[in-house]
Amino acid sequence: MATLILVRHGRSTANTSGVLAGRTPGVALDERGAAQAAELPGRLAGVPLAAVVTSPLQRCRETVRPLLDARPGLPLHVEDRISECDYGDWSGRKLAELMDEPLMQVVQAHASAAAFPGGESMRAMQARAVDAVRDWNARIEAEHGEDAVYAMCSHGDIIKALVADALGLHLDLFQRIQADPCSVTAIRYTRLRPFLLRLGDTGDLGSLAPRETPADDGAAEVGGGAGAP
């Protein structure tokens, strides 16, 4: 079956301001995010892509634009099922404030039981994303052959949930996975099992450097975080 190249959108204005953007409209790439997107065609230059599938949100569309400009004629498809998690009433709030919410502990340790007020559950988020990938795998294979490769631009929590599914990990463990802005994760799907080929590859090792402000008590960054400073 097809090989999927998952790209998280470049760093956004919400990432740098510490806001959980969710599906809030008008969230664009910041200056660094635009530079990350501009480097994406070079990073994927050796990969023959059959198509690009993107979340409908602005930050994802901006991320794939340089890749599409570099490859005229490459088909672009918009897929609502890989849009950001619907964080409901949490959308647009500061992450620092949300750390004091009782639900945050559930999100961190028992994600399969977490449902955002006025939004969706994390189980529903994973289910729709996995269904989308399975459908696109079948479509890409039918149109381009079983060795085809395609790219999908989405969001941190979506990508982490897809990786957890590929590895057979329970959703409660998905916070152990990291996907920095504009990182590339590759999964090859076969008849029997998926193979994780790359995870969170940013093309450099800068994200491994110690951060000035360590994560609080090992907590995962909901929404994916802003990556290396």
Side-chain angles (χ1 to χ4, degrees), residues 148-219:
V149 182
Y150 71 107
M152 179 176 281
C153 186
S154 188
H155 307 268
D157 281 349
I158 295 287
I159 292 172
K160 290 161 58 176
L162 288 169
V163 170
D165 172 75
L167 292 176
L169 291 177
H170 196 283
L171 184 60
D172 288 348
L173 301 179
F174 99 125
Q175 298 289 24
R176 302 183 184 193
I177 299 165
Q178 182 73 18
D180 281 342
C182 226
S183 62
V184 171
T185 293
I187 303 170
R188 185 174 72 245
Y189 289 86
T190 73
R191 302 297 175 191
L192 297 181
R193 62 182 62 86
F195 291 88
L196 182 64
L197 307 179
R198 294 286 189 279
L199 176 60
D201 189 340
T202 59
D204 62 55
L205 299 177
S207 62
L208 299 180
R211 302 191 180 191
E212 293 182 9
T213 306
D216 180 34
D217 224 9

Coordinates of all heavy atoms in Angstrom, one line a residue, residues 148-219:
A148 N 3.2 4.0 -4.4 CA 3.0 5.5 -4.4 C 3.3 6.1 -3.1 O 3.1 5.5 -2.0 CB 1.6 5.9 -4.9
V149 N 3.8 7.4 -3.1 CA 4.0 8.1 -1.9 C 3.2 9.4 -2.0 O 3.2 10.1 -3.0 CB 5.6 8.5 -1.8 CG1 5.8 9.3 -0.5 CG2 6.4 7.2 -1.8
Y150 N 2.6 9.8 -0.9 CA 1.9 11.1 -0.9 C 2.1 11.8 0.4 O 2.5 11.2 1.4 CB 0.4 10.9 -1.1 CG -0.4 10.2 0.0 CD1 -1.3 11.0 0.7 CD2 -0.3 8.9 0.2 CE1 -2.1 10.4 1.7 CE2 -1.1 8.3 1.2 CZ -1.9 9.0 2.0 OH -2.7 8.5 3.0
A151 N 1.9 13.1 0.4 CA 2.1 14.0 1.6 C 0.8 14.4 2.2 O -0.2 14.7 1.4 CB 3.0 15.2 1.2
M152 N 0.8 14.5 3.5 CA -0.4 15.0 4.2 C 0.0 16.0 5.2 O 0.8 15.7 6.1 CB -1.1 13.8 4.8 CG -2.4 14.2 5.6 SD -3.2 12.7 6.2 CE -4.1 12.1 4.8
C153 N -0.5 17.2 5.2 CA -0.1 18.3 6.1 C -1.2 18.5 7.1 O -2.4 18.8 6.8 CB 0.1 19.6 5.4 SG 0.8 20.9 6.4
S154 N -0.9 18.3 8.4 CA -1.9 18.3 9.4 C -1.3 19.0 10.7 O -0.4 19.8 10.6 CB -2.4 16.9 9.7 OG -3.5 16.9 10.6
H155 N -1.8 18.6 11.9 CA -1.5 19.2 13.1 C -0.9 18.3 14.1 O -1.0 17.0 14.0 CB -2.8 19.8 13.7 CG -3.5 20.7 12.7 ND1 -3.3 22.0 12.6 CD2 -4.4 20.4 11.7 CE1 -4.1 22.5 11.6 NE2 -4.7 21.5 11.0
G156 N -0.3 18.8 15.2 CA 0.5 18.1 16.1 C -0.3 16.9 16.7 O 0.2 15.7 16.7
D157 N -1.4 17.2 17.3 CA -2.2 16.1 18.0 C -2.7 15.1 17.0 O -2.8 13.9 17.3 CB -3.3 16.7 18.8 CG -2.8 17.2 20.2 OD1 -1.7 17.0 20.5 OD2 -3.6 17.9 20.8
I158 N -3.1 15.5 15.8 CA -3.5 14.6 14.8 C -2.4 13.6 14.4 O -2.6 12.4 14.3 CB -4.0 15.3 13.5 CG1 -5.3 16.2 13.8 CG2 -4.3 14.4 12.4 CD1 -6.5 15.4 14.0
I159 N -1.2 14.2 14.1 CA 0.0 13.4 13.7 C 0.3 12.4 14.8 O 0.6 11.2 14.6 CB 1.1 14.3 13.3 CG1 0.8 15.0 12.0 CG2 2.4 13.5 13.1 CD1 1.8 16.1 11.6
K160 N 0.4 12.9 16.1 CA 0.7 12.0 17.2 C -0.3 10.8 17.3 O 0.1 9.7 17.6 CB 0.7 12.8 18.5 CG 1.9 13.7 18.6 CD 1.7 14.8 19.6 CE 1.5 14.3 21.0 NZ 1.4 15.4 22.0
A161 N -1.6 11.1 17.1 CA -2.6 10.1 17.2 C -2.5 9.1 16.0 O -2.7 7.9 16.2 CB -4.0 10.7 17.1
L162 N -2.1 9.6 14.8 CA -1.9 8.7 13.7 C -0.6 7.8 13.9 O -0.7 6.6 13.6 CB -1.7 9.5 12.4 CG -3.0 10.1 11.9 CD1 -2.6 11.1 10.8 CD2 -4.0 9.1 11.4
V163 N 0.4 8.3 14.5 CA 1.6 7.5 14.8 C 1.2 6.5 15.9 O 1.7 5.3 15.8 CB 2.7 8.4 15.3 CG1 3.9 7.6 15.9 CG2 3.2 9.3 14.2
A164 N 0.5 6.8 16.9 CA 0.1 5.9 17.9 C -0.7 4.7 17.3 O -0.5 3.5 17.6 CB -0.8 6.6 19.0
D165 N -1.6 5.0 16.4 CA -2.3 4.0 15.7 C -1.4 3.1 14.9 O -1.5 1.9 14.9 CB -3.4 4.6 14.8 CG -4.1 3.6 13.9 OD1 -4.9 2.9 14.4 OD2 -3.7 3.5 12.7
A166 N -0.5 3.7 14.2 CA 0.5 2.9 13.3 C 1.3 2.0 14.2 O 1.7 0.8 13.8 CB 1.3 3.8 12.5
L167 N 1.7 2.4 15.4 CA 2.5 1.6 16.3 C 1.7 0.6 17.2 O 2.3 -0.1 17.9 CB 3.4 2.5 17.2 CG 4.4 3.3 16.5 CD1 5.1 4.3 17.5 CD2 5.5 2.4 15.8
G168 N 0.4 0.7 17.1 CA -0.4 -0.1 18.0 C -0.4 0.3 19.4 O -0.7 -0.5 20.3
L169 N -0.2 1.6 19.6 CA -0.2 2.2 21.0 C -1.6 2.6 21.3 O -2.3 3.2 20.5 CB 0.8 3.4 21.0 CG 2.3 3.2 20.9 CD1 3.0 4.5 21.0 CD2 2.8 2.3 22.1
H170 N -1.9 2.4 22.6 CA -3.2 2.9 23.1 C -3.1 4.5 23.0 O -2.1 5.1 23.3 CB -3.4 2.5 24.5 CG -4.9 2.6 25.0 ND1 -5.4 3.8 25.4 CD2 -5.9 1.7 25.1 CE1 -6.6 3.7 25.7 NE2 -7.0 2.4 25.6
L171 N -4.3 5.1 22.8 CA -4.3 6.6 22.7 C -3.8 7.2 24.0 O -3.3 8.3 24.0 CB -5.7 7.0 22.4 CG -5.9 8.5 22.2 CD1 -5.1 9.1 21.1 CD2 -7.4 8.9 22.0
D172 N -3.9 6.5 25.1 CA -3.5 7.0 26.4 C -2.0 7.3 26.4 O -1.4 8.0 27.3 CB -3.9 6.1 27.6 CG -5.3 6.1 27.9 OD1 -6.0 7.0 27.4 OD2 -5.8 5.3 28.7
L173 N -1.2 6.7 25.5 CA 0.2 6.8 25.4 C 0.7 7.8 24.4 O 1.9 8.0 24.2 CB 0.8 5.4 25.1 CG 0.5 4.3 26.1 CD1 1.2 3.0 25.7 CD2 1.0 4.7 27.6
F174 N -0.3 8.4 23.7 CA 0.2 9.2 22.5 C 0.9 10.5 22.9 O 1.6 11.1 22.1 CB -1.0 9.5 21.6 CG -1.7 10.9 21.8 CD1 -1.9 11.7 20.7 CD2 -2.2 11.3 23.0 CE1 -2.5 12.9 20.8 CE2 -2.8 12.5 23.1 CZ -3.0 13.4 22.0
Q175 N 0.8 10.9 24.2 CA 1.5 12.1 24.6 C 3.0 11.9 24.7 O 3.8 12.8 24.9 CB 0.9 12.6 25.9 CG -0.5 13.1 25.9 CD -0.8 14.4 25.2 OE1 0.0 14.8 24.3 NE2 -1.8 15.1 25.5
R176 N 3.4 10.6 24.6 CA 4.8 10.3 24.6 C 5.5 10.6 23.3 O 6.7 10.5 23.1 CB 5.1 8.9 25.0 CG 4.5 8.5 26.3 CD 4.7 7.1 26.7 NE 4.1 6.7 28.0 CZ 4.4 5.6 28.7 NH1 5.2 4.7 28.2 NH2 3.7 5.3 29.8
I177 N 4.7 10.9 22.3 CA 5.2 11.2 20.9 C 5.3 12.7 20.7 O 4.5 13.5 21.2 CB 4.2 10.6 19.9 CG1 4.1 9.1 20.1 CG2 4.7 10.9 18.4 CD1 2.9 8.4 19.4
Q178 N 6.4 13.1 20.0 CA 6.6 14.5 19.7 C 6.6 14.8 18.2 O 7.2 14.0 17.4 CB 8.0 14.9 20.3 CG 8.3 16.4 20.1 CD 7.5 17.3 21.0 OE1 6.9 16.9 22.0 NE2 7.5 18.6 20.7
A179 N 6.0 15.8 17.8 CA 6.0 16.2 16.4 C 6.1 17.8 16.3 O 5.2 18.5 16.5 CB 4.7 15.8 15.7
D180 N 7.4 18.2 16.1 CA 7.6 19.7 16.1 C 7.1 20.3 14.8 O 6.8 19.6 13.8 CB 9.1 19.9 16.2 CG 9.7 19.8 17.6 OD1 8.8 19.8 18.5 OD2 10.9 19.6 17.8
P181 N 7.0 21.6 14.8 CA 6.6 22.3 13.5 C 7.4 22.0 12.3 O 8.6 21.9 12.4 CB 6.7 23.8 13.9 CG 6.5 23.8 15.4 CD 7.2 22.6 15.9
C182 N 6.7 21.7 11.2 CA 7.3 21.4 9.9 C 8.1 20.1 10.0 O 9.0 19.9 9.1 CB 8.1 22.5 9.3 SG 7.7 22.8 7.6
S183 N 7.9 19.3 11.0 CA 8.6 18.0 11.1 C 8.0 17.0 10.1 O 6.8 17.2 9.7 CB 8.6 17.4 12.5 OG 7.3 17.2 12.9
V184 N 8.7 16.0 9.7 CA 8.3 15.0 8.7 C 8.3 13.7 9.4 O 9.2 13.2 10.0 CB 9.2 15.0 7.5 CG1 8.9 13.8 6.6 CG2 9.1 16.3 6.7
T185 N 7.1 13.0 9.3 CA 6.9 11.7 9.8 C 6.5 10.8 8.7 O 5.6 11.2 7.9 CB 5.9 11.6 11.0 OG1 6.4 12.4 12.1 CG2 5.6 10.2 11.4
A186 N 7.1 9.6 8.5 CA 6.8 8.8 7.3 C 6.3 7.4 7.8 O 6.9 6.8 8.7 CB 8.0 8.6 6.4
I187 N 5.2 7.0 7.3 CA 4.6 5.7 7.6 C 4.4 4.9 6.3 O 3.7 5.4 5.4 CB 3.3 5.8 8.4 CG1 3.5 6.6 9.7 CG2 2.8 4.4 8.7 CD1 2.2 7.0 10.4
R188 N 4.9 3.7 6.2 CA 4.6 2.9 5.1 C 3.5 1.9 5.5 O 3.7 1.1 6.4 CB 5.8 2.1 4.5 CG 5.5 1.3 3.3 CD 6.8 0.7 2.6 NE 7.3 -0.4 3.4 CZ 8.5 -0.4 4.0 NH1 9.3 0.7 4.0 NH2 8.9 -1.4 4.7
Y189 N 2.4 1.9 4.8 CA 1.3 0.9 5.1 C 1.4 -0.3 4.2 O 1.7 -0.2 3.0 CB 0.0 1.6 4.9 CG -0.3 2.7 6.0 CD1 0.2 4.0 5.9 CD2 -1.0 2.3 7.1 CE1 -0.1 4.9 6.8 CE2 -1.3 3.3 8.1 CZ -0.8 4.6 8.0 OH -1.0 5.5 8.9
T190 N 1.3 -1.5 4.8 CA 1.2 -2.7 4.1 C 0.0 -3.5 4.4 O -0.8 -3.1 5.3 CB 2.5 -3.6 4.4 OG1 2.3 -4.2 5.7 CG2 3.8 -2.8 4.4
R191 N -0.2 -4.6 3.8 CA -1.4 -5.4 4.1 C -1.5 -5.9 5.5 O -2.6 -6.0 6.1 CB -1.5 -6.6 3.1 CG -1.4 -6.3 1.6 CD -2.6 -5.5 1.2 NE -2.5 -5.1 -0.2 CZ -3.3 -4.2 -0.8 NH1 -4.3 -3.6 -0.1 NH2 -3.1 -3.9 -2.1
L192 N -0.4 -6.2 6.1 CA -0.4 -6.7 7.5 C -0.2 -5.7 8.6 O -0.7 -5.9 9.7 CB 0.7 -7.8 7.6 CG 0.5 -9.0 6.6 CD1 1.6 -10.1 6.9 CD2 -0.9 -9.7 6.9
R193 N 0.7 -4.7 8.3 CA 1.0 -3.8 9.4 C 1.6 -2.5 8.8 O 2.2 -2.6 7.7 CB 1.9 -4.4 10.4 CG 3.3 -4.8 9.8 CD 4.2 -5.5 10.8 NE 3.6 -6.7 11.3 CZ 3.7 -7.9 10.7 NH1 4.5 -8.0 9.6 NH2 3.2 -9.0 11.2
P194 N 1.5 -1.4 9.5 CA 2.3 -0.2 9.1 C 3.7 -0.3 9.6 O 4.0 -0.9 10.6 CB 1.5 0.9 9.8 CG 0.3 0.3 10.4 CD 0.6 -1.1 10.6
F195 N 4.6 0.4 8.9 CA 6.0 0.6 9.4 C 6.3 2.1 9.6 O 6.1 2.8 8.6 CB 7.0 0.0 8.4 CG 6.9 -1.5 8.3 CD1 6.0 -2.1 7.4 CD2 7.7 -2.3 9.1 CE1 5.9 -3.5 7.4 CE2 7.6 -3.7 9.0 CZ 6.7 -4.3 8.1
L196 N 6.8 2.4 10.7 CA 7.2 3.8 11.0 C 8.6 4.0 10.5 O 9.5 3.5 11.0 CB 7.1 4.1 12.5 CG 7.4 5.6 12.9 CD1 6.4 6.6 12.3 CD2 7.4 5.7 14.4
L197 N 8.8 4.8 9.4 CA 10.1 5.0 8.8 C 10.8 6.2 9.3 O 12.0 6.2 9.4 CB 9.9 5.2 7.3 CG 9.1 4.1 6.6 CD1 9.0 4.4 5.1 CD2 9.7 2.7 6.8
R198 N 10.1 7.3 9.6 CA 10.6 8.5 10.2 C 9.7 9.0 11.2 O 8.4 8.9 11.1 CB 10.9 9.6 9.2 CG 11.9 9.3 8.1 CD 13.3 9.4 8.7 NE 14.3 9.3 7.6 CZ 14.7 8.1 7.0 NH1 14.2 7.0 7.5 NH2 15.6 8.1 6.1
L199 N 10.2 9.7 12.3 CA 9.3 10.3 13.3 C 9.8 11.7 13.6 O 11.0 11.8 14.1 CB 9.3 9.4 14.5 CG 8.5 10.0 15.7 CD1 7.0 10.2 15.3 CD2 8.6 9.1 16.9
G200 N 9.1 12.7 13.3 CA 9.4 14.1 13.7 C 10.7 14.6 13.2 O 11.4 15.3 13.9
D201 N 11.1 14.2 12.0 CA 12.4 14.6 11.4 C 12.3 16.1 11.0 O 11.5 16.4 10.1 CB 12.7 13.7 10.2 CG 14.1 13.9 9.7 OD1 14.7 14.9 9.9 OD2 14.6 13.0 9.0
T202 N 13.1 16.9 11.5 CA 13.1 18.3 11.2 C 14.3 18.7 10.3 O 14.5 19.8 9.9 CB 13.2 19.2 12.4 OG1 14.4 18.9 13.2 CG2 12.0 19.0 13.3
G203 N 15.1 17.7 10.0 CA 16.3 18.0 9.1 C 17.5 18.5 9.8 O 18.6 18.6 9.3
D204 N 17.3 18.7 11.1 CA 18.5 19.1 12.0 C 18.2 18.5 13.4 O 17.1 18.0 13.7 CB 18.7 20.6 12.0 CG 17.5 21.3 12.6 OD1 17.1 21.0 13.7 OD2 17.0 22.2 11.9
L205 N 19.2 18.7 14.3 CA 19.0 18.2 15.6 C 18.8 19.3 16.7 O 18.9 19.1 17.9 CB 20.2 17.4 16.0 CG 20.5 16.1 15.1 CD1 21.8 15.4 15.6 CD2 19.3 15.2 15.2
G206 N 18.4 20.5 16.2 CA 18.3 21.6 17.1 C 17.2 21.4 18.2 O 17.3 21.9 19.3
S207 N 16.2 20.6 17.8 CA 15.1 20.4 18.8 C 15.6 19.5 20.0 O 14.8 19.4 21.0 CB 13.9 19.8 18.1 OG 14.2 18.5 17.6
L208 N 16.8 18.9 19.9 CA 17.2 18.1 20.9 C 18.0 18.9 22.0 O 18.3 18.3 23.1 CB 18.2 17.0 20.4 CG 17.6 16.0 19.4 CD1 18.6 15.0 18.9 CD2 16.4 15.3 20.0
A209 N 18.3 20.1 21.7 CA 19.0 21.0 22.7 C 18.1 21.3 23.9 O 16.9 21.3 23.7 CB 19.4 22.3 22.0
P210 N 18.7 21.4 25.1 CA 17.9 21.7 26.2 C 17.1 23.0 26.0 O 17.7 24.0 25.5 CB 18.9 21.9 27.4 CG 20.1 21.1 26.9 CD 20.1 21.2 25.4
R211 N 15.9 23.1 26.5 CA 15.1 24.3 26.3 C 15.3 25.2 27.5 O 15.5 24.7 28.6 CB 13.6 23.9 26.1 CG 13.4 23.0 24.9 CD 12.0 22.8 24.6 NE 11.8 21.9 23.4 CZ 10.7 21.7 22.8 NH1 9.6 22.4 23.1 NH2 10.6 20.9 21.8
E212 N 15.1 26.5 27.2 CA 15.3 27.5 28.3 C 14.2 27.3 29.4 O 14.5 27.5 30.6 CB 15.2 28.9 27.7 CG 16.4 29.2 26.8 CD 16.3 30.7 26.3 OE1 15.4 31.4 26.8 OE2 17.1 31.0 25.4
T213 N 13.0 26.9 29.0 CA 11.9 26.7 29.9 C 11.5 25.3 29.7 O 10.7 24.9 28.8 CB 10.7 27.6 29.6 OG1 11.2 29.0 29.6 CG2 9.7 27.5 30.7
P214 N 11.9 24.3 30.6 CA 11.6 22.9 30.5 C 10.0 22.8 30.6 O 9.4 23.5 31.3 CB 12.3 22.3 31.6 CG 13.4 23.2 32.0 CD 12.8 24.6 31.8
A215 N 9.5 21.7 30.0 CA 8.1 21.4 30.2 C 7.8 21.1 31.6 O 8.6 20.5 32.4 CB 7.8 20.1 29.3
D216 N 6.7 21.5 32.1 CA 6.3 21.4 33.5 C 6.0 19.9 33.8 O 5.1 19.3 33.3 CB 5.0 22.2 33.8 CG 4.5 22.1 35.2 OD1 5.4 22.0 36.1 OD2 3.3 22.2 35.4
D217 N 6.9 19.3 34.7 CA 6.6 18.0 35.3 C 6.4 17.0 34.2 O 5.6 16.0 34.4 CB 5.4 18.1 36.2 CG 5.6 17.3 37.5 OD1 6.8 16.9 37.7 OD2 4.6 17.2 38.2
G218 N 7.1 17.1 33.1 CA 6.9 16.1 32.0 C 5.6 16.2 31.2 O 5.3 15.3 30.5
A219 N 4.9 17.3 31.3 CA 3.7 17.4 30.6 C 3.9 17.6 29.1 O 4.8 18.3 28.7 CB 2.9 18.6 31.2

